[in-house]
Amino acid sequence: MMDNEVLEFDIGLGGVGEGEYDDDGGDIEHPMDEDELGDSSGGGGGGGGGGVTAGIYLPEGDLSDLEPCEGMEFESEEAAKAFYNSYARRVGFSTRVSSSRRSRRDGAIIQRQFVCAKEGFRNLNEKRTKDREIKRPRTITRVGCKASLSVKMQDSGKWVVSGFVREHNHELVPPDQVHCLRSHRQISGAAKTLIDTLQAAGMGPRRIMSALIKEYGGISKVGFTEVDCRNYMRNNRQRSLEGDIQLVLDYLRQMHAENPNFFYAVQGDEDQSINNVFWADPKARMNYTFFGDTVTFDTTYRSNRYRLPFAPFTGVNHHGQPVLFGCAFLINESEASFVWLFKTWLMAMSGRPPVSITTDHDSVIRSAIIQVFPETRHRFCKWHIFKKCQEKLSHIFLKYPNFEAEFHKCVNLTESIEEFESCWSTLVDKYDLRDHEWLQAIYSSGRHWVPVYLRDTFFAEMSITQRSDSMNSYFDGYINASTNLNQFFKLYEKALESRNEKEVRADYDTMNTLPVLRTPSPMEKQASELYTRKIFMRFQEELVGTLTFMASKADDDGEVITYNVAKFGEEHKGYYVKFNVLEMKATCSCQMFEFSGLLCRHVLAVFRVTNVLTLPSHYILKRWTRNAKSNVILEDHSCDVYTYYLESHTVRYNTLRHEAFKFVDEGAQSTETYDVAMDALQEAARRVSQAMQNEGRIPISNGKLRSHVMNDESHANYTSACQEECLSQHTSKDDLDTNIRKLLNELECANRKCEIYRSNLLSVLKAVEDHKLELSVKVENIKISMKDGI
C-alpha cells in the first residue's frame, strides 16, 4: 500500500445508546468524551434503531484485511473511526472514543484517539454516587489496555494516523461472540423492518429474536442481541405513545367536563413532557367504598406482548365478579412514578388504603407500596410467578417430569408454614436445586406469595388455591396484543358496559330466584336470604361438607374449647377449631374466614355439635350480602341470631360452668367464704329444683318470665303456681339426680339417632352424586352420537 493512499469509509456506526438497557437490565451510561465507537452517531436511543445504526459500508476493493499503521490517510474523522472499528471486529475487541483536541482558532476537533473499550480504569467519582444508592452496580470491564489508534487532521482536511498500539493486555473475543461487543452490535434496515412487522403482530422480543436467528442463520449473523431488539421495540413504542397520548388527555378532559366527579391526574406538565396518567370514573370511586378492602394492581399489559403501558386497579364485588377502581397509563416506570401513581390513586379513593393489595412480582412496585401503603398486606400474584416458572425452569420441567406437580403441591397444598418449609427443603434437595438463583429468589420472597403465609389476611378469594378472578381478567376479551391507543377507549367503554350488565344480571338473579336448599338447617335458610347467589352457593358447599366431618373435643380451659375436626377415619389429618362459647367466636387452623370472609366447614361442624343454629352476626360480612351497596343494617337478623344464641343448650351450660369456676375459686379462699359459698350453693340447688318442677306451669325463657296480660284468671293461676312452688321446696336431692340422669340418657339416645341420620343422609348424597355423574356421561355420549350423525 502506498504511504499516502486515502481510505474512504463514508459511514456512520451506532451501538447501544445512552439510557438503553444492557444485558444486565440496567441503564448504561456513556461519558460524552468516552463513547464507544459505535455510539457516536446513534444518539441515545432516538431516531432509527434505538441507538444501533444500519451497518458498515466498505469501499470498493478488498481492504478488509488491512491493519492500521502510521501515515494512513482518511477523508474524515468518521472514516478513520469506521476503519478502526472494522479492524476491531475482525480481531475481536470493542472500541470507543477516548480523547480529543480542539483548535484554538475555531474550536474544531483536530485530533482524536480511538481506544480499546478496556482501556483505562473506571472512574469511581464519589460525587456521582454519594447522593444516590446504586442498586445494581455494573460489572468492572476496564483493565488498563493500551491498544489505540490516534489520528490528526492535516491542513488539507484529510486525517492521518499519528499513532497505533497493537498489543492488548487481555484475551480477545472469538469470531462467534464478537456480535456481543457493544461497538459491533448493529440493527440493519432489513432487520428493523422485520422487527416492526412482528411487533405489530404482537410478538415479544424473545420470539422476534428467534425468528431473526432462523432468518439469518445464526445469532452471530444477526449482528445484535435480544437486549438491542428489546430497546429498539421500546423506543418504537415510546415514540408511538408520545404521539397518541394527546388522545388520552382529550378524552379525560371531556369526561371530567361532563361529570366533575370524574377524577384524572397527570404526572408532569400536560403541555410538555408526560410521564404517567391516572383516572377513575364516579362508579369506580363508589365501588371502592363498598369493595375496597382488597385490591389488585394489574401490570400484565406492560409486557412487550402488549402495545399499551396500561395498568388497571381492580377488586371483587359481592357476586365475586371483578370490579374496576381506576386505570393508569405508565409511560415512565421508575419507583418515583409508581409512588406518584399510588398516592394519586389513594387520593381519588378518599385516602382510605385497602387491607390487602396484589401485584405482579416486581421489586420496584414492592418498594413503592411499602412507602405509600405501609399498613397494607402486599401479595405477589402467585399465578404470575407460576407462569414465570415455565420460562425460568423449563429445562428442569423437561428433565424431571414430576417436578412441576410436586412444586405446585408444595406451594398450594401445604397446611402450615412448617410443612411448607420442610416440603420446599425436600424438593430442592431431591432435584439438586438449592443453588438455583431464581428459585432461591422466589423462595426468599415466599412470605409475599405462598398461601400459608397469607391466610391470616383478607383477599376475597373463595379458596386458598383458586386464582383471583380480578387479576388480569376485567378487560379480557377487549384489550389484546394488537390494541393501540386509537382503539383503546372504545374498547374500554365496551368492557365497562359489559361488566356493569353482568353485575345487574347477577343482582336480578339473586333477588328474583330462590336457591335450592340441600339441608333442613336454619343456618342454610338464613344464609340464602342474606348472601348473593354465588356467595351462598359457595357457603352451601361448606355447610353440606360438614356431613363428612366429625368434631371431637380436644381441650377445654374453661373459656375456650378446642375441637379436632376431621373426616371419618382421617383423624390424623384434622383441623383445630378454637371456640369461645361466651363470645360466640371460633377460629380454625385453615383460616378460611380470615382469607375469604366465609366460614369453613370445620367451624360449621363445631357449630353443628354445639347446637349453634344460625350464623352469628360477626361472621356475616356485609360485602358478600345482597345489601352490600346499601346502608341498611340487618337488625332483624341480628335479633334472631341473639335469640338462638340464648337458646343454645351448650352456651347456657358453658356460661354456668364458667361462672361456677370463678365462684369456687373465690369461695375456697377462707373458711368464712367457704361457709357462705356452701349456703349459697344449697339455696341455688333448691331454687333450680323448684324451677324444674314448675317449668311446665311457669313459662320461663332464658331465665326471664315471659310477658303476659295479667287478667283475673291469669293472676289466680299465677298465685296457684306460687303456692305450688312453696310445696315443692321439700323436693329431695335424689329426685334431682334422677331427673338429671334421665335427661342425660335421652340426650345420648338423641345423639345416636343423629349419627344414624347423618350416615344415611351421607349415603343418599353420595348416591345422588353418582347418579348425576352417570347422567352427565350419558348426555356426553348422546352429544357425540348426534355430532357423528351430522
Side-chain angles (χ1 to χ4, degrees):
M1 168 179 177
M2 297 180 61
D3 289 343
N4 293 326
E5 181 178 356
V6 177
L7 301 182
E8 297 182 355
F9 278 71
D10 185 15
I11 70 165
L13 282 180
V16 180
E18 182 179 349
E20 299 300 318
Y21 287 101
D22 203 354
D23 293 302
D24 63 356
D27 285 343
I28 301 170
E29 298 179 1
H30 295 288
M32 291 298 291
D33 62 341
E34 295 189 354
D35 285 347
E36 295 200 25
L37 290 192
D39 297 335
S40 61
S41 63
V52 183
T53 60
I56 298 175
Y57 300 94
L58 292 176
E60 294 183 4
D62 186 10
L63 301 176
S64 59
D65 292 333
L66 290 177
E67 184 174 277
C69 62
E70 291 188 21
M72 277 185 173
E73 286 189 357
F74 300 91
E75 282 294 327
S76 66
E77 175 201 349
E78 289 297 320
K81 178 166 51 172
F83 172 76
Y84 189 55
N85 200 48
S86 176
Y87 163 75
R89 182 182 180 90
R90 187 170 71 251
V91 174
F93 66 97
S94 185
T95 60
R96 60 184 171 84
V97 178
S98 175
S99 61
S100 61
R101 181 181 173 188
R102 295 182 180 273
S103 169
R104 293 180 179 178
R105 291 195 308 271
D106 56 10
I109 293 175
I110 58 174
Q111 189 171 335
R112 181 78 85 176
Q113 184 181 33
F114 311 121
V115 299
C116 171
K118 293 182 179 288
E119 181 268 347
F121 298 94
R122 178 173 295 177
N123 179 19
L124 300 176
N125 190 340
E126 292 185 3
K127 292 182 179 180
R128 294 173 59 189
T129 59
K130 69 177 183 178
D131 295 330
R132 62 186 179 93
E133 178 186 359
I134 299 178
K135 296 183 179 179
R136 302 178 67 178
R138 289 181 289 135
T139 305
I140 300 293
T141 57
R142 299 189 184 184
V143 294
C145 182
K146 299 295 185 181
S148 65
L149 178 76
S150 299
V151 293
K152 61 181 179 180
M153 190 172 68
Q154 305 282 62
D155 293 339
S156 63
K158 302 286 193 294
W159 288 74
V160 64
V161 175
S162 59
F164 171 61
V165 179
R166 177 187 298 105
E167 293 77 17
H168 297 261
N169 67 347
H170 55 88
E171 292 186 3
L172 299 175
V173 174
D176 62 340
Q177 297 176 17
V178 83
H179 67 281
C180 296
L181 295 172
R182 189 176 302 168
S183 68
H184 306 309
R185 281 150 55 175
Q186 306 146 15
I187 301 180
S188 66
K192 291 179 188 176
T193 301
L194 183 55
I195 292 173
D196 293 344
T197 302
L198 297 179
Q199 184 180 14
M203 289 178 62
R206 188 177 299 277
R207 292 177 62 194
I208 289 178
M209 278 303 294
S210 297
L212 287 166
I213 292 170
K214 186 175 181 180
E215 176 72 18
Y216 284 89
I219 182 65
S220 61
K221 296 181 180 179
V222 172
F224 54 91
T225 66
E226 183 181 325
V227 175
D228 301 323
C229 179
R230 188 184 304 274
N231 290 332
Y232 175 77
M233 293 172 64
R234 185 200 61 183
N235 291 332
N236 270 354
R237 187 169 59 175
Q238 187 87 6
R239 287 191 299 273
S240 174
L241 287 171
E242 286 172 359
D244 291 342
I245 202 69
Q246 193 60 43
L247 296 173
V248 176
L249 295 179
D250 291 344
Y251 176 86
L252 298 180
R253 291 189 190 108
Q254 177 187 343
M255 298 303 292
H256 179 71
E258 293 176 1
N259 189 335
N261 289 324
F262 185 97
F263 181 99
Y264 83 96
V266 178
Q267 184 182 21
D269 191 335
E270 288 191 34
D271 299 323
Q272 298 177 15
S273 62
I274 297 173
N275 288 329
N276 297 306
V277 179
F278 169 77
W279 73 93
D281 63 30
K283 184 175 178 60
R285 301 175 73 184
M286 183 60 69
N287 280 334
Y288 185 78
T289 64
F290 303 128
F291 310 114
D293 39 18
T294 185
V295 174
T296 293
F297 178 56
D298 183 2
T299 53
T300 305
Y301 301 98
R302 290 188 308 155
S303 66
N304 282 295
R305 180 171 178 266
Y306 295 92
R307 302 176 67 187
L308 293 170
F310 175 57
F313 292 86
T314 59
V316 181
N317 70 8
H318 53 323
H319 299 291
Q321 300 169 333
V323 61
L324 193 63
F325 296 147
C327 301
F329 276 123
L330 298 169
I331 311 301
N332 184 314
E333 299 176 8
S334 65
E335 181 179 313
S337 290
F338 281 116
V339 168
W340 172 87
L341 175 61
F342 293 148
K343 286 182 176 179
T344 304
W345 175 79
L346 190 61
M347 179 172 63
M349 301 298 125
S350 302
R352 182 170 64 90
V355 173
S356 61
I357 187 168
T358 302
T359 73
D360 197 2
H361 187 214
D362 189 303
S363 59
V364 176
I365 295 176
R366 167 73 182 156
S367 179
I369 284 177
I370 291 173
Q371 296 178 54
V372 183
F373 307 118
E375 303 300 323
T376 297
R377 188 72 177 273
H378 182 206
R379 176 179 69 165
F380 296 134
C381 179
K382 179 181 61 177
W383 296 99
H384 283 177
I385 291 177
F386 281 169
K387 187 177 180 181
K388 199 73 173 178
C389 285
Q390 300 292 332
E391 173 189 334
K392 299 290 186 179
L393 305 176
S394 57
H395 60 293
I396 298 173
F397 290 167
L398 289 173
K399 187 176 180 180
Y400 304 110
N402 294 329
F403 174 80
E404 185 174 10
E406 292 182 40
F407 177 77
H408 281 254
K409 182 179 179 181
C410 175
V411 172
N412 286 326
L413 301 183
T414 45
E415 297 290 344
S416 66
I417 294 174
E418 294 75 18
E419 184 184 354
F420 166 74
E421 296 286 352
S422 175
C423 183
W424 182 279
S425 181
T426 301
L427 188 68
V428 295
D429 287 340
K430 178 179 178 180
Y431 294 100
D432 194 23
L433 297 172
R434 194 166 286 279
D435 296 327
H436 191 282
E437 185 177 352
W438 186 80
L439 205 57
Q440 289 305 310
I442 63 170
Y443 169 73
S444 64
S445 62
R447 292 183 177 276
H448 301 295
W449 67 275
V450 178
V452 290
Y453 291 104
L454 299 163
R455 290 176 177 170
D456 60 346
T457 304
F458 182 74
F459 283 96
E461 292 182 17
M462 295 299 100
S463 71
I464 297 293
T465 57
Q466 81 168 51
R467 177 177 182 175
S468 172
D469 288 337
S470 64
M471 177 59 86
N472 189 27
S473 66
Y474 191 93
F475 292 97
D476 277 3
Y478 296 92
I479 295 175
N480 54 45
S482 61
T483 303
N484 57 42
L485 273 178
N486 287 316
Q487 306 164 318
F488 174 78
F489 280 108
K490 185 178 294 184
L491 298 173
Y492 163 84
E493 290 179 347
K494 282 186 177 180
L496 262 60
E497 183 179 346
S498 174
R499 289 296 177 186
N500 292 339
E501 175 61 28
K502 288 180 179 178
E503 181 178 339
V504 169
R505 182 67 188 179
D507 284 336
Y508 177 84
D509 289 342
T510 295
M511 296 300 180
N512 294 280
T513 57
L514 296 175
V516 177
L517 302 183
R518 298 170 62 184
T519 73
S521 166
M523 188 179 291
E524 183 183 18
K525 187 175 188 303
Q526 174 202 20
S528 72
E529 296 171 352
L530 291 175
Y531 290 134
T532 60
R533 173 59 59 85
K534 182 175 180 179
I535 303 306
F536 167 71
M537 291 177 66
R538 183 65 188 86
F539 173 82
Q540 190 180 53
E541 289 179 22
E542 294 300 311
L543 187 64
V544 173
T546 62
L547 296 173
T548 62
F549 281 83
M550 287 288 292
S552 56
K553 191 182 298 185
D555 187 39
D556 186 352
D557 64 5
E559 289 188 10
V560 177
I561 307 173
T562 302
Y563 291 87
N564 180 32
V565 183
K567 290 185 177 181
F568 294 105
E570 297 182 4
E571 287 75 12
H572 60 290
K573 297 181 181 179
Y575 295 84
Y576 287 94
V577 175
K578 295 182 180 295
F579 183 35
N580 187 317
V581 181
L582 296 179
E583 298 180 2
M584 284 294 283
K585 291 184 178 179
T587 57
C588 180
S589 58
C590 80
Q591 295 183 300
M592 178 176 162
F593 179 77
E594 291 81 355
F595 189 75
S596 69
L598 289 177
L599 282 176
C600 62
R601 60 193 62 191
H602 318 117
V603 170
L604 294 176
V606 170
F607 283 177
R608 186 193 71 220
V609 300
T610 54
N611 299 320
V612 178
L613 302 179
T614 59
L615 285 171
S617 58
H618 46 268
Y619 288 121
I620 304 171
L621 295 194
K622 186 180 178 183
R623 61 118 52 238
W624 290 135
T625 68
R626 302 169 176 224
N627 298 312
K629 290 188 172 185
S630 74
N631 295 320
V632 177
I633 299 175
L634 308 176
E635 295 180 354
D636 293 340
H637 293 288
S638 299
C639 293
D640 291 342
V641 171
Y642 183 68
T643 300
Y644 277 112
Y645 164 71
L646 291 177
E647 291 181 353
S648 168
H649 173 271
T650 304
V651 171
R652 295 195 300 271
Y653 175 84
N654 284 283
T655 302
L656 285 173
R657 186 181 63 171
H658 178 70
E659 294 298 321
F661 279 155
K662 292 195 297 183
F663 183 74
V664 169
D665 288 338
E666 295 170 358
Q669 295 296 320
S670 65
T671 304
E672 183 179 357
T673 56
Y674 172 79
D675 291 338
V676 172
M678 285 300 296
D679 291 341
L681 282 175
Q682 291 172 2
E683 176 64 17
R686 181 184 63 78
R687 296 185 62 180
V688 167
S689 177
Q690 291 175 0
M692 291 178 64
Q693 291 290 329
N694 296 281
E695 191 174 21
R697 289 182 292 273
I698 300 178
I700 299 178
S701 175
N702 305 310
K704 297 181 181 180
L705 288 172
R706 289 181 181 158
S707 176
H708 290 273
V709 178
M710 297 293 286
N711 53 29
D712 292 340
E713 182 178 353
S714 61
H715 184 272
N717 291 336
Y718 176 69
T719 303
S720 176
C722 291
Q723 292 173 350
E724 290 181 12
E725 278 188 60
C726 297
L727 294 174
S728 64
Q729 291 179 2
H730 300 289
T731 303
S732 67
K733 187 174 181 295
D734 292 338
D735 292 339
L736 180 61
D737 291 340
T738 301
N739 288 333
I740 291 174
R741 284 194 297 271
K742 182 180 178 181
L743 290 171
L744 288 174
N745 289 334
E746 290 177 359
L747 180 60
E748 185 179 354
C749 181
N751 283 333
R752 285 197 299 269
K753 288 181 180 179
C754 286
E755 290 303 323
I756 294 172
Y757 293 151
R758 189 185 300 110
S759 299
N760 291 338
L761 182 57
L762 190 61
S763 299
V764 171
L765 289 174
K766 187 177 184 304
V768 170
E769 292 299 326
D770 292 342
H771 187 57
K772 284 170 60 179
L773 181 60
E774 291 176 6
L775 288 176
S776 64
V777 171
K778 289 180 180 179
V779 169
E780 290 300 320
N781 290 335
I782 292 172
K783 288 181 179 178
I784 293 171
S785 300
M786 292 176 66
K787 288 181 180 178
D788 293 341
I790 294 173

